[in-house]
């Protein structure tokens, strides 16, 4: 998804408005005020609020690292988690919005889009959990869907805590500590 400079500015402002006041705070009027431009100017870049929200979700989704032939098992899983740590640290409002799915629950279209994204990521990561089991990197007595939840529940919680604390701690360092603890727990 290639955005123009102005579209990127609009999406960033939309993320900030949503992070500060929820999805109901994201209006075209509020966006215009935040950016110092008119509402019609926003409509020159996006057809609707719905398109803006879809683009926010898409931005989060496309930042997932491309599959790499040399990454397998736990190495691939850790790379995915690290990419999320880097992504939200570079764009703090993203942490408060994309890991707060409840913001999207009232809108069936947005909620479904978030769920689709989660399922795509889950399928990819479950494949890596199976690889990790086959390679003896992690225990084999747990189903991969449970391994996914055991691993990424804490990752999501750490990112959410970092976002709520407005970046008060080093997310990457704490992320590495968490990844190491999870490796030990799942052996």
């Amino acid at each position: 998804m290639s955005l123009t400079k102005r579209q990127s500015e609009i999406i960033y402002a939309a993320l900030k408005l949503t992070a500060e006041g929820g999805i109901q705070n994201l209006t075209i009027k509020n966006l215009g005020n935040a950016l110092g431009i008119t509402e019609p100017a926003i409509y020159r870049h996006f057809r609707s609020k719905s398109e803006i929200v879809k683009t926010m979700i898409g931005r989060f989704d496309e930042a997932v690292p491309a599959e790499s032939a040399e990454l397998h098992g736990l190495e691939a899983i850790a790379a995915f988690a690290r990419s999320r740590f880097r992504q939200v640290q570079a764009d703090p409002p993203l942490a408060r919005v994309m890991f707060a799915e409840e913001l999207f629950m009232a809108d069936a279209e947005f909620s479904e889009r978030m769920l689709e994204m989660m399922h795509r990521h889950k399928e990819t990561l479950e494949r890596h959990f199976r690889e990790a089991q086959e390679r003896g990197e992690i225990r084999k007595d747990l189903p991969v869907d449970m391994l996914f939840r055991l691993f990424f529940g804490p990752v999501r919680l750490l990112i959410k805590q970092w976002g709520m604390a407005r970046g008060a701690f080093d997310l990457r360092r704490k992320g590495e500590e968490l990844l190491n603890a999870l490796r030990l727990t799942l052996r």
Side-chain angles (χ1 to χ4, degrees), residues 6-74:
R6 179 57 92 181
Q7 285 175 318
S8 293
E9 291 169 352
I10 292 168
I11 294 303
Y12 186 74
L15 279 166
K16 283 183 69 175
L17 286 169
T18 305
E20 292 165 1
I23 197 76
Q24 66 277 3
N25 194 40
L26 177 58
T27 65
I28 300 301
K29 181 178 183 167
N30 288 348
L31 267 174
N33 290 339
L35 292 164
I37 60 176
T38 65
E39 293 175 48
I42 292 171
Y43 286 116
R44 282 195 290 276
H45 300 281
F46 292 98
R47 290 185 304 259
S48 64
K49 173 183 170 179
S50 177
E51 186 177 5
I52 291 168
V53 173
K54 288 177 187 175
T55 303
M56 285 183 348
I57 294 169
R59 182 173 164 192
F60 187 70
D61 194 18
E62 77 179 13
V64 174
E67 292 286 331
S68 175
E70 57 279 345
L71 295 181
H72 298 283
L74 270 182

Side-chain angles (χ1 to χ4, degrees), residues 72-136:
H72 298 283
L74 270 182
E75 193 177 329
I77 295 162
F80 181 92
R82 286 184 189 110
S83 75
R84 286 300 190 213
F85 298 144
R86 279 190 308 275
Q87 182 186 23
V88 298
Q89 200 161 25
D91 197 352
L94 206 53
R96 292 191 300 278
V97 174
M98 291 301 149
F99 287 106
E101 294 84 5
E102 61 275 5
L103 294 174
F104 301 100
M105 291 293 211
D107 187 300
E109 180 185 6
F110 301 150
S111 182
E112 184 175 325
R113 197 164 178 96
M114 289 292 288
L115 191 59
E116 287 171 5
M117 178 182 64
M118 284 181 199
H119 283 298
R120 276 195 312 279
H121 297 171
K122 183 177 179 272
E123 287 171 11
T124 299
L125 292 164
E126 283 181 347
R127 187 178 77 247
H128 292 305
F129 277 112
R130 277 191 281 285
E131 289 172 350
Q133 285 178 321
E134 290 165 6
R135 296 167 67 153

